[in-house]
Amino acid sequence: MITTVTLNPAIDKTYRIRELKCGRIHRVQQVTEAPGGKGINVAKVLHRLGQQVVATGLIGGYNGQRICHLLDEMHINHDFCRVSGESRLCLNMIDDQGVGTEVLEPGPAISPAEWKRMKDKCADLAKQSSFVVFSGSLPLGLDQSAYQQLVHLVQQSGAKAVLDTSGAAFRAALDACPFMVKPNLDEVRQILGANMLTREEIGQVIQEWHQHGVEWIAVSLGAEGAIVSRRDAGAWLAIPPQIEAVNPVGSGDSFVAGFVAGLAEHRSLEECIQWAVACGAANALEERAGEIVPDRIREFNPQVKLVRLSIT
Ligand code: TA6
């Protein structure tokens, strides 16, 4: 089984708006709604790929109930910790040029008692899981060491932790040596306090994290694909097929799902990378984040180019 952990789930609303301008009233042309937050997106894609998955995290209020209902409709197993606050809404407004603007609420404040219950649930689920995937931002009230604590806890149970988060929470979690991390390029820049990074500089960071004990590192580069590196095996640039994106939100989450599905099925290193990139591209062709059409992945998979890099 694979567990996904979303500490700050959301109802993702996508608004199609003709012309988006600050200070104006906008009439929405089309609304779509989906259960979201990064880990829930990972769970949706894993489920579509035929993996046995459980989505957990902290959920509250009417929005929390709605998220559970939407997951039930998709037949996705979930086992959340209920909290007293209200789960958030995340808006993605896409204009007629296809440009997206995201507005993400902070989510509920979590009490120490609620956090303790979350840790206990993670420890329980980790005992039954081969992989535990942690994704997304932290809700209010949680310490920046939250992911560090959870990664440590699940890896003690023998499960492999996969982490996709940013900033101080990411830096702290590196100390617990997650099995895999997937920052995007902006997040790496943010961590290093750099505006620009050369490929060599990215290579140095990857080396550092490997030396720390991280087995797999994927730095996602948006439409340009990803740099993926495995400790003691080297690094690859994975270039996706060229597509006309409909909505790229959630492509990083689909990448993680594809990668973990590949690892869970004991696929080769190259196959895992290609499958992940194909999943990210397939996601970008859908209106809703975290949706994929499996046939598209099969079509894209052989089109993903792998170039060996000598950066590590
Ligand atoms: O990656 C896309 C997405 O998961 C959206 O579904 C949206 O809910 C948002 O990211 C949340 O991001 P955050 O980093 O705040 O957890």
Side-chain angles (χ1 to χ4, degrees), residues 93-108:
M93 293 170 278
I94 307 179
D95 70 10
D96 44 7
Q97 305 298 310
V99 177
T101 303
E102 289 183 67
V103 179
L104 313 178
E105 291 185 7

Side-chain angles (χ1 to χ4, degrees), residues 115-124 149-150 153:
W115 176 234
K116 163 89 176 66
R117 279 196 283 118
M118 183 72 250
K119 286 202 288 188
D120 292 345
K121 188 169 295 284
C122 265
D124 270 359
Q149 296 175 47
L150 293 180
L153 210 104

Side-chain angles (χ1 to χ4, degrees), residues 178-255:
F179 175 73
M180 176 174 179
V181 296
K182 191 221 69 74
N184 64 35
L185 190 55
D186 274 346
E187 288 158 353
V188 178
R189 285 195 195 111
Q190 197 192 326
I191 287 163
L192 298 182
N195 288 332
M196 296 285 290
L197 283 179
T198 62
R199 215 171 258 176
E200 287 65 36
E201 285 168 323
I202 299 173
Q204 274 166 22
V205 182
I206 288 178
Q207 270 300 2
E208 229 174 81
W209 294 345
H210 278 322
Q211 275 160 14
H212 215 80
V214 182
E215 181 78 14
W216 280 98
I217 298 163
V219 178
S220 52
L221 310 171
E224 268 129 66
I227 294 175
V228 184
S229 174
R230 185 182 177 171
R231 192 161 56 143
D232 303 329
W236 285 260
L237 173 67
I239 306 166
Q242 290 220 327
I243 52 160
E244 201 65 50
V246 173
N247 177 16
V249 172
S251 288
D253 309 332
S254 299
F255 176 100

Side-chain angles (χ1 to χ4, degrees), residues 258 262 266-277 301 306:
H266 306 289
R267 288 173 185 260
S268 74
L269 182 150
E270 287 86 356
E271 281 175 322
C272 290
I273 303 174
Q274 280 179 307
W275 197 245
V277 173
N301 198 39
L306 292 186

